[in-house]
Amino acid sequence: MLTNFFKIGIRNLLKQKGYSVIKIAGLAFGLAASIIIYLFIQEDLSYDTHHHNYPNIGRLLTIDNGEGVSSKLVGVTPPPLGAAAVAELPEVLNSARLSGGSRQDISYEDKSLKCDAYFRSESSLFEIFDFKIVDGQATGMLDEPNSAVITQTLARRIFGDENPVGKTIRLNQNTELHITAVAADLPKTSHIQFDLLRSMTPAQNEDGYRQFLESWQGISMFTYLLLDRPVDPSELNPKLQAISKKNNAVEFFFPVVQPLKDVHLHSKEILFESNSNKSDILNVYVLSTIAFLILLLAAVNFMNLVTARSAGRAKEVGVRKVIGAVRPQLVVQYLVESTLITFVSALLALMLVFAITPALNNIYQRFADPMVMLSTQHLLFLTTLVLVVGFVAGIYPAFVLSSFKPVVVVKGNFKNSNSGIRLRKALVVLQFTISIALMVGTGIVFQQMHFIYTADLGYNRDQVITIAQTGQSVQRATTFRNELARNTNVVSTGTASTRLGQQLGRTQIFPEGFSNETNIITSIMAVDENYLPTMSMTMSAGRNFSLSYDDSLSMLINEEMMRLLKWDEAIGKKISLQSGPNPTDLTAYTVVGVVKDFHFATIRHRLEPMLMLYNSDNPSLAIKIKADNASETIAFIEATWKQVNPGATFEYDFLDEQFANLYRNEQAFANMFTHFTVLALVIAGLGLFALSAFTAEQRKKEIGIRKVLGASNGTILVRLSAEFVQLIVISFGLASVLAYFVMDSWLNDFQYSIDIGPGIFVVAGLGSIVIALLTISFQALKAAWSNPVNALRSE
């Protein structure tokens, strides 16, 4: 019997080719979109799960309760905290530390290049995490001073086919590192990403670094713990804080632990961390909702088309009942047809997923792997999904079609029944509620991204080139800048300790008029006298650093610092900073200028008080160039760099491109949101196109009569369209409420965001009506232009 049901289903698909294509395409698009989103969600949820100690690994963080700090949670701790936890807490089995995370110059013989992620670490990192060693020492690889581990990719870049183990490379042209092991390239779903690890064991000439590793008076180390049980912050945090207090750490720094499973998706508020490609759990929720809505939209579209064509199959049902068919048989028949369509759609969807995912990975900068869908687990999941969607999409039409009474359907009464009409209206409202809500969401996402890219940051990033100077190139910075000044296309150059867009360091300050017991923490950076003019920053009071003065004990502050300290006048005031190992070792600096507020980090975080100290040569070089002949100017800068810094790798970036890269996750999310919204509109449009064709077919006699009585084509077009427009207006009201609350929650992730205004709702509402009218008008005009005689002659 099932074989017969399949044959009938295939015949019906072939008999109504146009509607079959629309039904299959709508479901295929919906399933493909949902599977692709599922792959992206799986990617986010799979971060760090390849470590067999995954549930027992914790990352140490610090709650910074300093008065000047708005972002309290930071990813760094006192350097000795991990070892102290191992020594004092029996449940802590091991600890590992990382510091750094920068790009550095490395060289071997006559070859030099940049490594992308340089850290100092210790051998225990490989005992806690499953980072595989493919060559060299399997244990103790970072025990000796200046020993190093490099990844396979970096090894190939430096040595080609040579075995790197035992060889020596130079770091920043002045430090020799001995390669003890080669690590396999790290999985892309690891939040830790390195290509060169240098031993954290201090060398003979690193007495200052040794003192740093033993100090409890600062927070600057990424620290991980391995426990003998799953990480429980509520149990471990009080013990960590007791250890910190026992060792006289800074009293307003409170260490806490974060389970490894939370690092990728629950770190949006954390600053000063090494967390590659971190995302946000809210994005996972939003994407899950979109996937569900698109799948629901596709299923609703299918239900709408099947019930709309129910009258066309009424006689078939009547005849089959007359010859003995019972209702359960008819229900199974239509469920088999529904499942058959869903199965064909699923095959097409899988083909789309494998074809499109690589391109989408490039667009969104993601790592989703469609091959996981071929695993037994996922094939079972997909089969279940097909059966569920097929059942849900077909159950109502099956019961509706199987309930026809032979006597009634022969008269053709069902096609105008209130139940069928109400159902189709409800489904159209649901379709366009989803579509309009997604349109509004897309508009708000892009308004926020436009706000980010055009917000006044307090500096000008256009035509600014940045170069990260390391090692001897920092010492030669003045010579390099003097050479650049010979080119008239170089407007100005300036240096700073940190490139704008990166989080600045923090320090405790002791302002004039405040007790030495103060716990005020603010951001700090060093700049030279040319940096502010190069970045087009402006002074609100006082002066900039200048070679006309001895600014070794001068300081600039921002306006937010004045608000924090409640100073009406800052010029001439003194702020002291700790300058030695003891808390009483203080150096006083005189405030000589107030800089207008600028966003030195991203606008995800609230602008904080900050200060600037003077230093003539700093690692981050900013070069302002003229827009004309930019390529020639860059070539001149490169040639000058190689002349001044022979053997050092030349790399530059435009500051506006670096700025855009800070928000690449948000931009990828915006693109993803847009693409899937367009797909939802296509699915809804397909359904509306088919439904309007059915409506026009059902009302062709009415149209014929109206034309005979003198109705114009325009009047008929309005009558056929008015019903759908009314339904879309209802959808608009429902969608507006839904979209407002969801997107308002999303905007709360930003410290600075747009206000949701009525404009985007009006545009989405009008846009949906225009899309609907364009979809409907083809069928409506076709009906209006048809010869009324043909309609009146039809049965």
Side-chain angles (χ1 to χ4, degrees), residues 649-776:
T649 306
F650 174 75
E651 285 190 351
Y652 73 93
D653 294 285
F654 278 98
L655 186 58
D656 56 353
E657 294 176 354
Q658 290 175 319
F659 175 83
N661 192 52
L662 293 173
Y663 299 95
R664 67 183 183 87
N665 284 337
E666 286 84 354
Q667 187 61 59
F669 178 76
N671 292 336
M672 201 179 300
F673 207 122
T674 303
H675 295 158
F676 290 116
T677 296
V678 170
L679 181 60
L681 291 173
V682 169
I683 294 172
L686 285 173
L688 192 60
F689 179 84
L691 196 57
S692 61
F694 168 73
T695 301
E697 178 67 21
Q698 291 293 93
R699 298 177 66 177
K700 64 182 181 181
K701 278 194 176 182
E702 173 194 338
I703 293 169
I705 294 171
R706 289 184 181 279
K707 291 194 71 173
V708 168
L709 295 177
S712 65
N713 289 341
T715 302
I716 293 172
L717 178 62
V718 169
R719 278 192 164 274
L720 289 176
S721 305
E723 176 184 340
F724 292 104
V725 172
Q726 290 172 2
L727 297 178
I728 292 170
V729 170
I730 296 172
S731 301
F732 170 74
L734 296 173
S736 297
V737 175
L738 173 65
Y740 178 86
F741 285 106
V742 172
M743 297 314 298
D744 186 60
S745 297
W746 182 74
L747 289 174
N748 285 336
D749 262 6
F750 296 87
Q751 289 291 336
Y752 302 91
S753 62
I754 62 169
D755 294 322
I756 301 178
I760 187 62
F761 295 93
V762 173
V763 170
L766 293 176
S768 60
I769 291 175
V770 169
I771 292 171
L773 289 177
L774 290 174
T775 305
I776 296 166

Side-chain angles (χ1 to χ4, degrees), residues 273-391:
E273 62 165 346
S274 175
N275 189 351
S276 180
N277 295 319
K278 74 175 177 180
S279 187
D280 185 354
I281 190 63
L282 181 60
N283 289 351
V284 172
Y285 294 149
V286 171
L287 288 176
S288 300
T289 302
I290 292 174
F292 172 75
L293 292 177
I294 289 178
L295 194 59
L296 178 62
L297 190 65
V300 164
N301 186 59
F302 175 73
M303 289 176 62
N304 214 354
L305 292 175
V306 172
T307 53
R309 299 296 295 176
S310 58
R313 301 190 65 179
K315 287 186 179 180
E316 174 196 336
V317 174
V319 170
R320 293 183 66 181
K321 281 194 171 184
V322 167
I323 62 175
V326 295
R327 189 176 186 185
Q329 289 178 323
L330 296 173
V331 169
V332 172
Q333 166 67 51
Y334 296 120
L335 286 178
V336 167
E337 290 184 21
S338 173
T339 304
L340 176 63
I341 292 173
T342 309
F343 179 76
V344 174
S345 299
L347 290 178
L348 291 175
L350 275 179
M351 294 169 63
L352 284 171
V353 168
F354 278 90
I356 294 174
T357 302
L360 293 181
N361 278 336
N362 289 332
I363 294 172
Y364 306 146
Q365 299 184 47
R366 300 290 297 258
F367 317 113
D369 181 10
M371 293 301 295
V372 302
M373 295 305 300
L374 298 182
S375 67
T376 303
Q377 175 186 354
H378 285 92
L379 287 175
L380 287 174
F381 169 77
L382 187 60
T383 302
T384 303
L385 181 65
V386 167
L387 293 175
V388 170
V389 171
F391 181 81

Side-chain angles (χ1 to χ4, degrees), residues 478-531:
T478 300
T479 303
F480 179 53
R481 290 166 53 206
N482 290 338
E483 289 296 316
L484 293 181
R486 296 189 297 106
N487 191 316
T488 56
N489 286 325
V490 176
V491 178
S492 63
T493 62
T495 66
S497 56
T498 307
R499 175 178 57 80
L500 292 179
Q502 296 176 327
Q503 185 62 43
L504 304 184
R506 287 176 175 173
T507 189
Q508 187 175 8
I509 65 171
F510 303 91
E512 177 182 317
F514 287 74
S515 165
N516 280 353
E517 301 301 318
T518 178
N519 64 344
I520 300 176
I521 299 288
T522 67
S523 296
I524 179 173
M525 70 185 298
V527 299
D528 64 16
E529 70 280 2
N530 297 309
Y531 188 73

Side-chain angles (χ1 to χ4, degrees), residues 97-110:
R97 297 175 294 180
L98 282 165
S99 68
S102 57
R103 290 169 58 82
Q104 300 289 336
D105 280 324
I106 55 174
S107 57
Y108 175 70
E109 295 179 345
D110 60 347

Side-chain angles (χ1 to χ4, degrees), residues 180-192:
T180 58
V182 177
D185 291 334
L186 276 61
K188 293 178 180 178
T189 52
S190 170
H191 86 277
I192 297 175

